[in-house]
Amino acid sequence: SLSANEMAELNGLLSKRSGDTFYEEQYNPQLFTKEHMEFKSMHNTIFVHLSKYCESVKEKKINLFYLDGPDGGTTSALIDPDGAGFDPSQCYVANRHKSSCEVLLGKGILPEKNVIHATAVEALTIPKKDEIIP
């Protein structure tokens, strides 16, 4: 069962933005506890292993979609040449914070077309014909 705070966070992640909704970046890994940083590292390790497994089953390169913060921790774990070694062109990131997207792009690791300022729902939703801007 989720707490009220966890439910509010989940609802925020699942909702689409309306109009010019602005999300202020709250993610600051320097404020995380040692235990939380270890948890994030384990999460990235599991994601890397799962991604490598999927690639081995497919027997070809796969594309990866994930959320990443301004520190680029997940991206770094995926493209580390001494680790997972995924090509940056395989990595697609969404972040609902414009400032985080700018930082991720400013690192020069990912191609510009692979970083989108959007929620996960927005990034993965195919627009209806009347929503496409020519």
Side-chain angles (χ1 to χ4, degrees):
S1 176
L2 297 177
S3 70
N5 286 341
E6 291 168 332
M7 185 58 75
E9 180 180 359
L10 178 61
N11 287 334
L13 290 170
L14 293 174
S15 66
K16 289 183 81 172
R17 285 184 280 186
S18 58
D20 291 331
T21 301
F22 175 77
Y23 293 109
E24 183 178 345
E25 179 60 81
Q26 300 293 316
Y27 185 90
N28 184 348
Q30 295 175 344
L31 301 178
F32 292 158
T33 63
K34 177 184 173 195
E35 293 79 15
H36 189 74
M37 292 301 292
E38 289 170 357
F39 166 79
K40 297 289 286 178
S41 178
M42 287 187 293
H43 176 270
N44 285 338
T45 299
I46 291 167
F47 186 51
V48 164
H49 286 290
L50 177 62
S51 301
K52 289 305 242 180
Y53 171 77
C54 292
E55 199 168 65
S56 72
V57 169
K58 286 282 207 179
E59 298 180 352
K60 65 178 185 175
K61 289 187 175 195
I62 61 169
N63 290 325
L64 304 163
F65 174 79
Y66 55 96
L67 305 177
D68 208 354
D71 65 334
T74 302
T75 299
S76 295
L78 290 167
I79 63 174
D80 178 7
D82 296 325
F86 283 98
D87 189 274
S89 65
Q90 294 174 259
C91 301
Y92 293 84
V93 177
N95 193 299
R96 68 181 185 168
H97 306 286
K98 185 176 182 180
S99 61
S100 291
C101 292
E102 291 168 352
V103 170
L104 288 165
L105 288 170
K107 292 180 182 289
I109 299 171
L110 295 175
E112 187 173 341
K113 68 177 185 162
N114 291 30
V115 178
I116 184 170
H117 175 219
T119 65
V121 170
E122 292 168 339
L124 295 173
T125 300
I126 298 172
K128 298 174 186 158
K129 284 186 178 185
D130 63 338
E131 296 176 331
I132 298 174
I133 301 171

